[in-house]
Amino acid sequence: MTELNNFLSTETTPEIAKIFGAIEKASFILSKEVGYQGLGADILGADGGENSTGDAQQKLDVYADNVFERALRSSGVIAGWASEESEKFVTFEENKDAQYVIVIDPLDGSSNIDVNVSIGTIFGIYKRVSKVGAPVTLNDFLQKGSHMIAAGYVLYSVSTQMVLSTGHGLHVFTLEQWKKSYHRVLDHVHTPQDGKVYSINEVNFDDFDPKLKRFIQYCRDKKNEKGKRQYTGRYIGSLVSDFHRNLLKGGIYVYPATGEAPQGKLRLVYECIPMAYLISQASGYATNGVDDILKLQPTELHQKSPLYLGSKVMMDEVMKD
Ligand code: AHG
Ligand code: MN
Ligand code: MN
């Protein structure tokens, strides 16, 4: 089985490999603490603060943010970062000569932390558009997804896995805890063209637009050639976990606009674009209900966007007029 470091040494540049190396190191720490469920560091429960989108921060949100920031700073190859947990982007002064920046959701699925349900980390890497040697700028982070050069997520679940792409397909690695090393278990993953699963928080059904309501009814009703139900509903409430299951089984994930949240809940820069990049590397695609997520021009660091993402057949069906 190919080890992550060996894979990266042939797949990408030494700088990008170093960035993944930093993510890898931070994920060892997170994986261990998540596995201890509070027997180790003080990671359970609310922190008492709020992040810039007004979400209540959990202790593990803050802990993860610090662990990833430290690892990425010390990689020497990241000039700055924008984290879902901080209002502003940060220049890593000591790395101003570096060429890359990163956008990150250090801990995705906060509501699942205290109940031992799987959670994740989502990240995306861009080449900076500002001058190398100068501080990073907002435009470095507000790039279209079509300019993203690598992305990935770590899933802290029954096992810890890293799923990544550097633009040449999607690959899945599993962490061997005792050796602290990731090994490739799936190569060039393609999500099934049709799926089995639709994932959406249906509590908001009455608020959905007519097109989405019709699609959900279609999923509920659709029978296969044997007269059996074609689709089933599954929703964990951690984007990373819902994405991962649907990637492997085939399916669709939707976090749409609702009455309460006209732009949905998910963040375009930290969640929607990296996940859109990843699903597009696996033969699926992502939209905001109208347009291709990878073609959207972000205008604010913490802006939200509806997200429709998954297998081609289900996506085509939900997008139909
Ligand atoms: P985060 O923990 O980074 O704030 O993200 C939580 C997100 C996402 O992971 C999940 O799919 C969604 O919130 C669930 O929201 P609902 O509880 O509204 O369904
Ligand atoms: Mn999230
Ligand atoms: Mn988060």
Side-chain angles (χ1 to χ4, degrees), residues 80-101:
W81 91 337
S83 163
E84 183 195 88
E85 294 306 326
S86 316
E87 192 190 338
K88 297 196 171 122
F89 63 87
V90 176
T91 298
F92 293 165
E93 290 290 336
E94 60 275 46
N95 303 340
K96 276 194 302 206
D97 290 332
Q99 297 187 60
Y100 298 100
V101 296

PDB file of all heavy atoms in Angstrom, residues 80-101:
ATOM      1  N   GLY A  80      -0.239  32.355   4.271  1.00  0.00           N
ATOM      2  CA  GLY A  80      -1.308  32.873   5.120  1.00  0.00           C
ATOM      3  C   GLY A  80      -2.506  31.966   5.062  1.00  0.00           C
ATOM      4  O   GLY A  80      -2.593  31.089   4.197  1.00  0.00           O
ATOM      5  N   TRP A  81      -3.431  32.163   6.003  1.00  0.00           N
ATOM      6  CA  TRP A  81      -4.612  31.300   6.003  1.00  0.00           C
ATOM      7  C   TRP A  81      -5.874  32.073   6.311  1.00  0.00           C
ATOM      8  O   TRP A  81      -5.832  33.160   6.906  1.00  0.00           O
ATOM      9  CB  TRP A  81      -4.407  30.122   6.942  1.00  0.00           C
ATOM     10  CG  TRP A  81      -4.853  30.263   8.379  1.00  0.00           C
ATOM     11  CD1 TRP A  81      -5.042  31.401   9.114  1.00  0.00           C
ATOM     12  CD2 TRP A  81      -5.206  29.172   9.238  1.00  0.00           C
ATOM     13  NE1 TRP A  81      -5.442  31.080  10.373  1.00  0.00           N
ATOM     14  CE2 TRP A  81      -5.571  29.722  10.478  1.00  0.00           C
ATOM     15  CE3 TRP A  81      -5.252  27.790   9.080  1.00  0.00           C
ATOM     16  CZ2 TRP A  81      -5.964  28.935  11.557  1.00  0.00           C
ATOM     17  CZ3 TRP A  81      -5.651  27.014  10.154  1.00  0.00           C
ATOM     18  CH2 TRP A  81      -5.997  27.591  11.367  1.00  0.00           C
ATOM     19  N   ALA A  82      -6.989  31.494   5.883  1.00  0.00           N
ATOM     20  CA  ALA A  82      -8.307  32.000   6.260  1.00  0.00           C
ATOM     21  C   ALA A  82      -9.049  30.821   6.850  1.00  0.00           C
ATOM     22  O   ALA A  82      -9.203  29.787   6.199  1.00  0.00           O
ATOM     23  CB  ALA A  82      -9.045  32.555   5.054  1.00  0.00           C
ATOM     24  N   SER A  83      -9.454  30.987   8.115  1.00  0.00           N
ATOM     25  CA  SER A  83     -10.135  29.902   8.823  1.00  0.00           C
ATOM     26  C   SER A  83     -11.572  30.297   9.104  1.00  0.00           C
ATOM     27  O   SER A  83     -11.855  31.453   9.442  1.00  0.00           O
ATOM     28  CB  SER A  83      -9.418  29.625  10.147  1.00  0.00           C
ATOM     29  OG  SER A  83     -10.261  28.871  10.995  1.00  0.00           O
ATOM     30  N   GLU A  84     -12.453  29.323   9.000  1.00  0.00           N
ATOM     31  CA  GLU A  84     -13.867  29.541   9.339  1.00  0.00           C
ATOM     32  C   GLU A  84     -14.010  30.102  10.753  1.00  0.00           C
ATOM     33  O   GLU A  84     -14.961  30.812  11.049  1.00  0.00           O
ATOM     34  CB  GLU A  84     -14.591  28.192   9.244  1.00  0.00           C
ATOM     35  CG  GLU A  84     -16.067  28.260   9.490  1.00  0.00           C
ATOM     36  CD  GLU A  84     -16.636  26.869   9.747  1.00  0.00           C
ATOM     37  OE1 GLU A  84     -16.654  26.412  10.902  1.00  0.00           O
ATOM     38  OE2 GLU A  84     -17.038  26.239   8.758  1.00  0.00           O
ATOM     39  N   GLU A  85     -13.066  29.807  11.625  1.00  0.00           N
ATOM     40  CA  GLU A  85     -13.180  30.204  13.028  1.00  0.00           C
ATOM     41  C   GLU A  85     -12.714  31.635  13.308  1.00  0.00           C
ATOM     42  O   GLU A  85     -12.859  32.111  14.422  1.00  0.00           O
ATOM     43  CB  GLU A  85     -12.404  29.230  13.924  1.00  0.00           C
ATOM     44  CG  GLU A  85     -12.988  27.826  13.928  1.00  0.00           C
ATOM     45  CD  GLU A  85     -14.476  27.774  14.285  1.00  0.00           C
ATOM     46  OE1 GLU A  85     -14.928  28.595  15.108  1.00  0.00           O
ATOM     47  OE2 GLU A  85     -15.190  26.939  13.701  1.00  0.00           O
ATOM     48  N   SER A  86     -12.087  32.307  12.320  1.00  0.00           N
ATOM     49  CA  SER A  86     -11.595  33.667  12.579  1.00  0.00           C
ATOM     50  C   SER A  86     -12.230  34.638  11.598  1.00  0.00           C
ATOM     51  O   SER A  86     -12.423  34.298  10.429  1.00  0.00           O
ATOM     52  CB  SER A  86     -10.083  33.764  12.392  1.00  0.00           C
ATOM     53  OG  SER A  86      -9.473  32.671  12.975  1.00  0.00           O
ATOM     54  N   GLU A  87     -12.465  35.842  12.103  1.00  0.00           N
ATOM     55  CA  GLU A  87     -13.130  36.836  11.269  1.00  0.00           C
ATOM     56  C   GLU A  87     -12.255  37.227  10.082  1.00  0.00           C
ATOM     57  O   GLU A  87     -12.740  37.408   8.971  1.00  0.00           O
ATOM     58  CB  GLU A  87     -13.422  38.057  12.142  1.00  0.00           C
ATOM     59  CG  GLU A  87     -14.352  39.031  11.473  1.00  0.00           C
ATOM     60  CD  GLU A  87     -14.440  40.329  12.248  1.00  0.00           C
ATOM     61  OE1 GLU A  87     -14.134  40.326  13.465  1.00  0.00           O
ATOM     62  OE2 GLU A  87     -14.804  41.345  11.622  1.00  0.00           O
ATOM     63  N   LYS A  88     -10.942  37.352  10.333  1.00  0.00           N
ATOM     64  CA  LYS A  88     -10.051  37.864   9.282  1.00  0.00           C
ATOM     65  C   LYS A  88      -9.041  36.815   8.856  1.00  0.00           C
ATOM     66  O   LYS A  88      -8.696  35.919   9.637  1.00  0.00           O
ATOM     67  CB  LYS A  88      -9.302  39.077   9.824  1.00  0.00           C
ATOM     68  CG  LYS A  88     -10.229  40.200  10.178  1.00  0.00           C
ATOM     69  CD  LYS A  88      -9.477  41.510  10.344  1.00  0.00           C
ATOM     70  CE  LYS A  88     -10.456  42.660  10.492  1.00  0.00           C
ATOM     71  NZ  LYS A  88     -10.285  43.410  11.727  1.00  0.00           N
ATOM     72  N   PHE A  89      -8.527  36.982   7.652  1.00  0.00           N
ATOM     73  CA  PHE A  89      -7.426  36.110   7.220  1.00  0.00           C
ATOM     74  C   PHE A  89      -6.152  36.543   7.947  1.00  0.00           C
ATOM     75  O   PHE A  89      -6.077  37.656   8.479  1.00  0.00           O
ATOM     76  CB  PHE A  89      -7.248  36.169   5.699  1.00  0.00           C
ATOM     77  CG  PHE A  89      -6.869  37.534   5.184  1.00  0.00           C
ATOM     78  CD1 PHE A  89      -5.542  37.933   5.129  1.00  0.00           C
ATOM     79  CD2 PHE A  89      -7.845  38.436   4.765  1.00  0.00           C
ATOM     80  CE1 PHE A  89      -5.185  39.187   4.676  1.00  0.00           C
ATOM     81  CE2 PHE A  89      -7.504  39.700   4.298  1.00  0.00           C
ATOM     82  CZ  PHE A  89      -6.174  40.075   4.255  1.00  0.00           C
ATOM     83  N   VAL A  90      -5.152  35.676   7.955  1.00  0.00           N
ATOM     84  CA  VAL A  90      -3.916  35.963   8.693  1.00  0.00           C
ATOM     85  C   VAL A  90      -2.710  35.752   7.782  1.00  0.00           C
ATOM     86  O   VAL A  90      -2.641  34.748   7.065  1.00  0.00           O
ATOM     87  CB  VAL A  90      -3.785  35.018   9.921  1.00  0.00           C
ATOM     88  CG1 VAL A  90      -2.462  35.230  10.647  1.00  0.00           C
ATOM     89  CG2 VAL A  90      -4.955  35.202  10.876  1.00  0.00           C
ATOM     90  N   THR A  91      -1.783  36.702   7.802  1.00  0.00           N
ATOM     91  CA  THR A  91      -0.507  36.511   7.121  1.00  0.00           C
ATOM     92  C   THR A  91       0.424  35.773   8.075  1.00  0.00           C
ATOM     93  O   THR A  91       0.535  36.165   9.240  1.00  0.00           O
ATOM     94  CB  THR A  91       0.152  37.867   6.770  1.00  0.00           C
ATOM     95  OG1 THR A  91      -0.704  38.573   5.879  1.00  0.00           O
ATOM     96  CG2 THR A  91       1.509  37.693   6.117  1.00  0.00           C
ATOM     97  N   PHE A  92       1.055  34.728   7.607  1.00  0.00           N
ATOM     98  CA  PHE A  92       2.094  34.080   8.408  1.00  0.00           C
ATOM     99  C   PHE A  92       3.403  34.829   8.101  1.00  0.00           C
ATOM    100  O   PHE A  92       4.093  34.518   7.130  1.00  0.00           O
ATOM    101  CB  PHE A  92       2.199  32.591   8.054  1.00  0.00           C
ATOM    102  CG  PHE A  92       0.998  31.761   8.432  1.00  0.00           C
ATOM    103  CD1 PHE A  92       0.814  30.490   7.904  1.00  0.00           C
ATOM    104  CD2 PHE A  92       0.049  32.229   9.340  1.00  0.00           C
ATOM    105  CE1 PHE A  92      -0.295  29.708   8.257  1.00  0.00           C
ATOM    106  CE2 PHE A  92      -1.064  31.459   9.701  1.00  0.00           C
ATOM    107  CZ  PHE A  92      -1.233  30.208   9.151  1.00  0.00           C
ATOM    108  N   GLU A  93       3.684  35.838   8.938  1.00  0.00           N
ATOM    109  CA  GLU A  93       4.788  36.781   8.670  1.00  0.00           C
ATOM    110  C   GLU A  93       6.095  36.057   8.345  1.00  0.00           C
ATOM    111  O   GLU A  93       6.846  36.483   7.466  1.00  0.00           O
ATOM    112  CB  GLU A  93       5.012  37.686   9.895  1.00  0.00           C
ATOM    113  CG  GLU A  93       3.896  38.685  10.149  1.00  0.00           C
ATOM    114  CD  GLU A  93       3.841  39.795   9.102  1.00  0.00           C
ATOM    115  OE1 GLU A  93       4.884  40.058   8.477  1.00  0.00           O
ATOM    116  OE2 GLU A  93       2.750  40.372   8.922  1.00  0.00           O
ATOM    117  N   GLU A  94       6.318  34.968   9.081  1.00  0.00           N
ATOM    118  CA  GLU A  94       7.593  34.260   8.899  1.00  0.00           C
ATOM    119  C   GLU A  94       7.673  33.539   7.553  1.00  0.00           C
ATOM    120  O   GLU A  94       8.734  33.105   7.140  1.00  0.00           O
ATOM    121  CB  GLU A  94       7.813  33.277  10.065  1.00  0.00           C
ATOM    122  CG  GLU A  94       6.762  32.184  10.243  1.00  0.00           C
ATOM    123  CD  GLU A  94       5.522  32.590  11.051  1.00  0.00           C
ATOM    124  OE1 GLU A  94       4.964  33.672  10.796  1.00  0.00           O
ATOM    125  OE2 GLU A  94       5.096  31.819  11.924  1.00  0.00           O
ATOM    126  N   ASN A  95       6.514  33.433   6.837  1.00  0.00           N
ATOM    127  CA  ASN A  95       6.483  32.690   5.559  1.00  0.00           C
ATOM    128  C   ASN A  95       6.090  33.578   4.381  1.00  0.00           C
ATOM    129  O   ASN A  95       5.503  33.087   3.417  1.00  0.00           O
ATOM    130  CB  ASN A  95       5.459  31.546   5.617  1.00  0.00           C
ATOM    131  CG  ASN A  95       5.715  30.571   6.743  1.00  0.00           C
ATOM    132  OD1 ASN A  95       6.820  30.501   7.258  1.00  0.00           O
ATOM    133  ND2 ASN A  95       4.705  29.822   7.127  1.00  0.00           N
ATOM    134  N   LYS A  96       6.384  34.876   4.471  1.00  0.00           N
ATOM    135  CA  LYS A  96       5.903  35.778   3.418  1.00  0.00           C
ATOM    136  C   LYS A  96       6.446  35.431   2.030  1.00  0.00           C
ATOM    137  O   LYS A  96       5.906  35.841   1.018  1.00  0.00           O
ATOM    138  CB  LYS A  96       6.218  37.227   3.780  1.00  0.00           C
ATOM    139  CG  LYS A  96       5.145  37.812   4.688  1.00  0.00           C
ATOM    140  CD  LYS A  96       5.212  39.302   4.814  1.00  0.00           C
ATOM    141  CE  LYS A  96       6.559  39.755   5.342  1.00  0.00           C
ATOM    142  NZ  LYS A  96       6.557  41.020   6.035  1.00  0.00           N
ATOM    143  N   ASP A  97       7.539  34.685   2.010  1.00  0.00           N
ATOM    144  CA  ASP A  97       8.111  34.309   0.712  1.00  0.00           C
ATOM    145  C   ASP A  97       7.459  33.059   0.125  1.00  0.00           C
ATOM    146  O   ASP A  97       7.830  32.612  -0.960  1.00  0.00           O
ATOM    147  CB  ASP A  97       9.622  34.070   0.840  1.00  0.00           C
ATOM    148  CG  ASP A  97      10.350  35.387   1.086  1.00  0.00           C
ATOM    149  OD1 ASP A  97       9.824  36.433   0.641  1.00  0.00           O
ATOM    150  OD2 ASP A  97      11.414  35.364   1.738  1.00  0.00           O
ATOM    151  N   ALA A  98       6.505  32.518   0.845  1.00  0.00           N
ATOM    152  CA  ALA A  98       5.835  31.306   0.345  1.00  0.00           C
ATOM    153  C   ALA A  98       4.805  31.676  -0.725  1.00  0.00           C
ATOM    154  O   ALA A  98       4.330  32.808  -0.800  1.00  0.00           O
ATOM    155  CB  ALA A  98       5.154  30.583   1.497  1.00  0.00           C
ATOM    156  N   GLN A  99       4.460  30.693  -1.555  1.00  0.00           N
ATOM    157  CA  GLN A  99       3.593  30.962  -2.713  1.00  0.00           C
ATOM    158  C   GLN A  99       2.142  30.574  -2.501  1.00  0.00           C
ATOM    159  O   GLN A  99       1.304  30.869  -3.340  1.00  0.00           O
ATOM    160  CB  GLN A  99       4.073  30.110  -3.886  1.00  0.00           C
ATOM    161  CG  GLN A  99       5.451  30.395  -4.381  1.00  0.00           C
ATOM    162  CD  GLN A  99       5.683  29.596  -5.647  1.00  0.00           C
ATOM    163  OE1 GLN A  99       4.973  29.767  -6.629  1.00  0.00           O
ATOM    164  NE2 GLN A  99       6.656  28.701  -5.619  1.00  0.00           N
ATOM    165  N   TYR A 100       1.839  29.871  -1.402  1.00  0.00           N
ATOM    166  CA  TYR A 100       0.505  29.286  -1.278  1.00  0.00           C
ATOM    167  C   TYR A 100      -0.265  29.823  -0.076  1.00  0.00           C
ATOM    168  O   TYR A 100       0.334  30.252   0.916  1.00  0.00           O
ATOM    169  CB  TYR A 100       0.616  27.758  -1.159  1.00  0.00           C
ATOM    170  CG  TYR A 100       1.250  27.154  -2.380  1.00  0.00           C
ATOM    171  CD1 TYR A 100       2.601  26.784  -2.379  1.00  0.00           C
ATOM    172  CD2 TYR A 100       0.525  27.011  -3.554  1.00  0.00           C
ATOM    173  CE1 TYR A 100       3.201  26.273  -3.516  1.00  0.00           C
ATOM    174  CE2 TYR A 100       1.108  26.498  -4.703  1.00  0.00           C
ATOM    175  CZ  TYR A 100       2.444  26.127  -4.677  1.00  0.00           C
ATOM    176  OH  TYR A 100       3.033  25.638  -5.807  1.00  0.00           O
ATOM    177  N   VAL A 101      -1.590  29.782  -0.193  1.00  0.00           N
ATOM    178  CA  VAL A 101      -2.464  30.108   0.935  1.00  0.00           C
ATOM    179  C   VAL A 101      -3.460  28.963   1.088  1.00  0.00           C
ATOM    180  O   VAL A 101      -3.663  28.182   0.158  1.00  0.00           O
ATOM    181  CB  VAL A 101      -3.230  31.431   0.725  1.00  0.00           C
ATOM    182  CG1 VAL A 101      -2.277  32.611   0.656  1.00  0.00           C
ATOM    183  CG2 VAL A 101      -4.138  31.371  -0.507  1.00  0.00           C
TER     184      VAL A 101
END
